[in-house]
C-alpha cells in the first residue's frame, strides 16, 4: 500500500483489538490526533465505531490489528458495510515501545500511523470460504497428531518401568503392534497392586492412541476432499501431499489476489533471499528467517522428497554440487523454485461480485 496523499479533513482510523473491547484512534490526513474511542467487540460496537469515525470527516481507511483473531469480527463487519480494512502488524515489543510506552490507545495510534505511511499494511484474508474450512480442519488434525505423538512417548516412558516379563514380551514390537498389545492388557483387580496399575495405565494410553489414530483418519479424509476440490492441480505436483497443499492454500487465503505476485508469495513463505551487501561486499545474500514458518517447513518437506525421488531435481542437485554449492544452499534454491511452481497452481479468487457478496 503506497503512502496516502490526504487533506486535513480526511480521517485514518487505527484499531487495537481485544477479546471483549476494541480501542480506536483517529488521525487527520496530516497525522494530527483527532480522538479515541473504546467500543465493545459486538456488532453494535462496530456500528458505533463507524458512526464515530464518519462524524470526524471522510474516512479513508480502517487499519485493524489482528484481523485473523480478535479483529476478525470487526473486519467482517467493515467489509459488509463497504469499508474494507487493511491489516497492520502489532508494534514491536522492544525498541520503539521502550521509548513510547504501551497502552491500547498507543497501539491503536500506531496502527493508524502505519496505514498513513503505507508501510507494513496488508490486505487481510477473507476467512469465509473453502480455504478457511481447510484451515480449521487442519488445526484439528495437527492437534490430534501432536496429541498422538505425546501419548506414544508417554506410553514408552511408562513401559520402561514395567516388570521384565511384561517388557520383554511387548517392548520389541513395532509401534502399532505395541499399542494393540497394551490395549489388550487386563487392568482389572486391585489398583493398589503395581502390576494391575501398570496394565491399567498402559491400556488406557494405548486406547487413547487408537482413538486419536481413528480421529486423524477422519480429519485427513476431510482435508483431502477439501484440498482436492480447491486445488486439484497442486495435489498432482510431484511430492506435494494433502498436508503441504493445505498449508500453501492457508498461507495464501481465500482471496489469493491479496498476494500481488510470486515474489510477494516467496517473501510471505520466507524463501526469498535477503540482500546483505554493502560497499565492496555488494551482491551477497543471507537466509530469510521470516515469513510463515509452517509454509516454509511444508516446502522443505517437498524438496526433500524430490531430492530423493524426482529425476529433474536429482539432476539439479548433482549439477550444483559439482559447482561446489553446499546442500543447504541447494535446498534454499529448490524451495524458491518449488514455490514458483506452486504459486502458479493457487486457485484464482472468485469474481469481485462474488467476493463482495461473500464478504
Amino acid at each position: 500500500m503506497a503512502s496516502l496523499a490526504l487533506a486535513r479533513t480526511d480521517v485514518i482510523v487505527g484499531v487495537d483489538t481485544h477479546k471483549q473491547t476494541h480501542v480506536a484512534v483517529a488521525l487527520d490526513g496530516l497525522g494530527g490526533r483527532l480522538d479515541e474511542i473504546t467500543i465493545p467487540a459486538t456488532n453494535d460496537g462496530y456500528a458505533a465505531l463507524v458512526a464515530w469515525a464518519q462524524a470526524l470527516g471522510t474516512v479513508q481507511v480502517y487499519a485493524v490489528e489482528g484481523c485473523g483473531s480478535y479483529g476478525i469480527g470487526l473486519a467482517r463487519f467493515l467489509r459488509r458495510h463497504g469499508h474494507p480494512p487493511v491489516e497492520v502488524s502489532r508494534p514491536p515489543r522492544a525498541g520503539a515501545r521502550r521509548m513510547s510506552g504501551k497502552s491500547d490507545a498507543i497501539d491503536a495510534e500506531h496502527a493508524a500511523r502505519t496505514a498513513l505511511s503505507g508501510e507494513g499494511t496488508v490486505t487481510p484474508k477473507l476467512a469465509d470460504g473453502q480455504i478457511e474450512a481447510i484451515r480449521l480442519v487442519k488445526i484439528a488434525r495437527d492437534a490430534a497428531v501432536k496429541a498422538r505423538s505425546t501419548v506414544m512417548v508417554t506410553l514408552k516412558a511408562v513401559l520402561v518401568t514395567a516388570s521384565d516379563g511384561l517388557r520383554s514380551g511387548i517392548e520389541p514390537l513395532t509401534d502399532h503392534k505395541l499399542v494393540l498389545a497394551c490395549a489388550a492388557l487386563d487392568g482389572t483387580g486391585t489398583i493398589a497392586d503395581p502390576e494391575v496399575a501398570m496394565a491399567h495405565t498402559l491400556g488406557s494410553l494405548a486406547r487413547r492412541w487408537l482413538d486419536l489414530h481413528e480421529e486423524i483418519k477422519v480429519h485427513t479424509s476431510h482435508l483431502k476432499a477439501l484440498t482436492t476440490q480447491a486445488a486439484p492441480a497442486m495435489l498432482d505436483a510431484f511430492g506435494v501431499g494433502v498436508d503441504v497443499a493445505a498449508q500453501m492454500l492457508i498461507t495464501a487465503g481465500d482471496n489469493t489476489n491479496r498476494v500481488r505476485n510470486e515474489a510477494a508469495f516467496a517473501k510471505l513463505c520466507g524463501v526469498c533471499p535477503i540482500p546483505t551487501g554493502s560497499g565492496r561486499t555488494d551482491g551477497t545474500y543471507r537466509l530469510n528467517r521470516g515469513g510463515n514458518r509452517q509454509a516454509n517447513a511444508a516446502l522443505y518437506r517437498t524438496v526433500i522428497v524430490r531430492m530423493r525421488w524426482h529425476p529433474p531435481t536429482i539432476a539439479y542437485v548433482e549439477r550444483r554440487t559439482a559447482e561446489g554449492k553446499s546442500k543447504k544452499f541447494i535446498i534454499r534454491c529448490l524451495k524458491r523454485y518449488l514455490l514458483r511452481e506452486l504459486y502458479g497452481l493457487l486457485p484464482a479468487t472468485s469474481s469481485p461480485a462474488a467476493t463482495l457478496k461473500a464478504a
Side-chain angles (χ1 to χ4, degrees):
M1 176 180 175
S3 60
L4 302 175
L6 302 174
R8 186 177 292 277
T9 54
D10 293 321
V11 176
I12 307 296
V13 179
V15 186
D16 180 44
T17 59
H18 297 276
K19 185 175 182 180
Q20 303 296 338
T21 61
H22 299 336
V23 177
V25 167
L27 304 179
D28 63 32
L30 301 183
R33 198 173 191 275
L34 295 175
D35 197 6
E36 71 175 76
I37 188 175
T38 300
I39 61 165
T42 62
N43 281 335
D44 289 341
Y46 305 151
L49 170 65
V50 172
W52 166 81
Q54 291 177 341
L56 296 174
T58 305
V59 181
Q60 294 294 326
V61 65
Y62 290 88
V64 182
E65 291 182 357
C67 288
S69 55
Y70 290 145
I72 192 169
L74 175 59
R76 287 170 175 166
F77 181 90
L78 292 173
R79 280 196 296 267
R80 285 198 304 270
H81 292 80
H83 310 292
V86 297
E87 184 172 11
V88 298
S89 301
R90 297 189 182 278
R93 297 292 173 178
R97 281 196 165 178
R98 187 177 296 115
M99 300 298 294
S100 59
K102 167 72 175 77
S103 73
D104 295 341
I106 290 174
D107 288 350
E109 184 174 343
H110 170 271
R113 295 195 183 280
T114 299
L116 186 61
S117 70
E119 297 292 331
T121 59
V122 298
T123 302
K125 298 177 183 178
L126 292 180
D128 57 2
Q130 188 176 37
I131 294 176
E132 175 65 6
I134 292 174
R135 185 186 72 87
L136 295 173
V137 173
K138 191 172 185 299
I139 288 173
R141 183 183 181 277
D142 290 349
V145 169
K146 185 176 181 179
R148 184 181 64 176
S149 298
T150 301
V151 170
M152 179 59 73
V153 170
T154 305
L155 187 148
K156 289 184 176 181
V158 172
L159 185 59
V160 169
T161 64
S163 63
D164 291 341
L166 180 59
R167 284 183 59 190
S168 61
I170 63 176
E171 195 172 37
L173 299 175
T174 61
D175 285 355
H176 195 264
K177 290 182 178 179
L178 171 65
V179 168
L180 294 176
C182 289
L185 291 175
D186 184 9
T188 59
T190 305
I191 198 66
D193 183 352
E195 292 296 324
V196 175
M198 176 62 70
H200 167 78
T201 300
L202 292 176
S204 175
L205 291 170
R207 287 186 290 274
R208 187 184 308 169
W209 189 96
L210 291 171
D211 289 342
L212 288 168
H213 188 66
E214 293 302 315
E215 180 184 339
I216 291 168
K217 287 182 179 180
V218 174
H219 295 321
T220 302
S221 175
H222 291 323
L223 202 60
K224 184 175 182 180
L226 288 168
T227 52
T228 300
Q229 185 177 357
M234 188 177 292
L235 285 174
D236 291 337
F238 193 99
V240 177
V242 171
D243 193 60
V244 173
Q247 185 57 60
M248 290 296 104
L249 293 171
I250 292 167
T251 303
D254 284 292
N255 46 331
T256 53
N257 59 356
R258 63 188 285 271
V259 183
R260 298 187 304 275
N261 50 42
E262 175 202 313
F265 194 47
K267 187 171 184 179
L268 182 60
C269 296
V271 296
C272 64
I274 304 298
T276 58
S278 178
R280 289 187 294 179
T281 60
D282 192 22
T284 59
Y285 297 87
R286 69 165 174 83
L287 175 67
N288 186 347
R289 294 182 174 85
N292 187 306
R293 304 317 296 172
Q294 288 77 24
N296 193 286
L299 293 170
Y300 177 84
R301 292 194 298 272
T302 302
V303 164
I304 295 302
V305 170
R306 289 190 173 191
M307 289 174 67
R308 179 64 179 86
W309 303 105
H310 190 224
T313 303
I314 295 172
Y316 175 84
V317 172
E318 292 174 349
R319 177 171 63 83
R320 298 292 269 175
T321 302
E323 295 173 358
K325 302 300 182 183
S326 67
K327 184 176 180 181
K328 287 184 177 180
F329 179 87
I330 294 170
I331 289 175
R332 292 172 194 170
C333 294
L334 286 171
K335 288 199 300 188
R336 183 66 178 85
Y337 295 148
L338 173 62
L339 180 128
R340 180 176 298 132
E341 177 184 343
L342 297 184
Y343 176 76
L345 300 177
L346 289 175
T349 301
S350 57
S351 66
T355 302
L356 183 59
K357 182 179 179 181

